[in-house]
Amino acid sequence: EAQVTQNPRYLITVTGKKLTVTCSQNMNHEYMSWYRQDPGLGLRQIYYSMNVEVTDKGDVPEGYKVSRKEKRNFPLILESPSPNQTSLYFCASRDSTDGYEQYFGPGTRLTVT
Amino acid sequence: GNSVTQMEGPVTLSEEAFLTINCTYTATGYPSLFWYVQYPGEGLQLLLKATKADDKGSNKGFEATYRKETTSFHLEKGSVQVSDSAVYFCALSERGAQKLVFGQGTRLTINP
């Protein structure tokens, strides 16, 4: 089954404790992206990657890092989480030649206390 | 910059009612337009899309027409069901851009 998976689905952590949210897709997509969803703001892009070892900032990259060492994986790293990073996070992927439809993972709900 | 504005929610309707969720956009070029749906506890799923002016996207009884003259992409359904309860997002993507620009989402609740 074609899908984007994220782990963990739920995470409660404390300020300053480094964490990683994993994202994996099995569709051989070149493009992957991270979004955060906040009430009243819709989804905003954090980072994206056009291919292995190619990443770039989205609209709200502050406080986040990403890496793309393999085509299927695109982890999101919060090196020193803060309460304003409490949010619902979505990973997405798409084929670079398949228009602009993106396929989304199930989401990771992060709470930073 | 590009932006998407959706009607304020939440929206509550009775089963079999007619649904309209308004969406207007601002874009510098000729974007593709999308409606995504988010069911409780799940990720976003593409509901329908339109890639050029006057295109009509449709799926599961939902429709939306790309109106360039009014920069709109309103979502409609003739007879909603309880199972349509979800959050609906309007979004656009410009050619060559590397992201979707989302509206704020509209929560729809359908009562039996």
Side-chain angles (χ1 to χ4, degrees):
Chain A
E1 180 190 353
Q3 61 182 350
V4 178
T5 57
Q6 295 178 227
N7 281 291
R9 294 289 312 278
Y10 302 91
L11 180 59
I12 300 174
T13 189
V14 296
T15 299
K17 185 176 181 182
K18 182 179 179 179
L19 65 92
T20 299
V21 183
T22 64
C23 172
S24 183
Q25 50 93 5
N26 63 1
M27 295 170 278
N28 202 36
H29 286 167
E30 294 175 343
Y31 172 96
M32 298 185 74
S33 182
W34 277 102
Y35 293 83
R36 60 177 288 173
Q37 180 182 0
D38 300 292
L41 297 177
L43 280 78
R44 294 175 293 168
Q45 189 184 56
I46 303 171
Y47 268 95
Y48 67 93
S49 170
M50 296 296 293
N51 212 327
V52 175
E53 302 293 2
V54 181
T55 63
D56 208 346
K57 297 177 180 178
D59 294 323
V60 289
E62 294 78 20
Y64 304 95
K65 285 177 57 176
V66 293
S67 69
R68 188 88 182 276
K69 293 183 169 51
E70 305 167 281
K71 196 172 186 180
R72 64 183 292 127
N73 296 324
F74 189 45
L76 180 70
I77 303 157
L78 286 72
E79 297 219 321
S80 184
S82 62
N84 65 10
Q85 293 178 297
T86 292
S87 187
L88 181 57
Y89 292 86
F90 289 101
C91 182
S93 72
R94 67 169 170 83
D95 188 289
S96 60
T97 61
D98 188 26
Y100 303 96
E101 174 184 349
Q102 296 193 25
Y103 298 83
F104 284 81
T108 295
R109 185 166 292 282
L110 172 66
T111 302
V112 183
T113 62
Chain B
N2 297 342
S3 66
V4 175
T5 302
Q6 291 180 233
M7 68 184 288
E8 292 287 332
V11 174
T12 302
L13 296 171
S14 298
E15 208 165 19
E16 299 183 3
F18 185 87
L19 169 70
T20 300
I21 301 178
N22 290 337
C23 171
T24 57
Y25 67 91
T26 303
T28 53
Y30 300 96
S32 294
L33 301 174
F34 306 85
W35 277 100
Y36 279 84
V37 59
Q38 184 180 27
Y39 297 104
E42 298 184 13
L44 279 73
Q45 303 173 23
L46 179 67
L47 181 60
L48 53 84
K49 68 179 180 183
T51 58
K52 62 182 188 298
D54 299 324
D55 269 3
K56 177 186 283 189
S58 62
N59 186 24
K60 299 182 181 179
F62 290 90
E63 293 184 339
T65 300
Y66 190 141
R67 301 284 188 204
K68 185 167 173 286
E69 63 275 13
T70 54
T71 61
S72 65
F73 193 54
H74 305 320
L75 183 68
E76 296 181 336
K77 186 174 185 182
S79 177
V80 292
Q81 307 300 311
V82 172
S83 57
D84 294 327
S85 298
V87 180
Y88 292 81
F89 291 93
C90 186
L92 69 81
S93 184
E94 287 259 40
R95 189 172 302 278
Q98 303 307 332
K99 66 179 181 183
L100 286 164
V101 176
F102 286 89
Q104 70 270 39
T106 302
R107 182 175 298 278
L108 173 66
T109 301
I110 307 300
N111 294 320

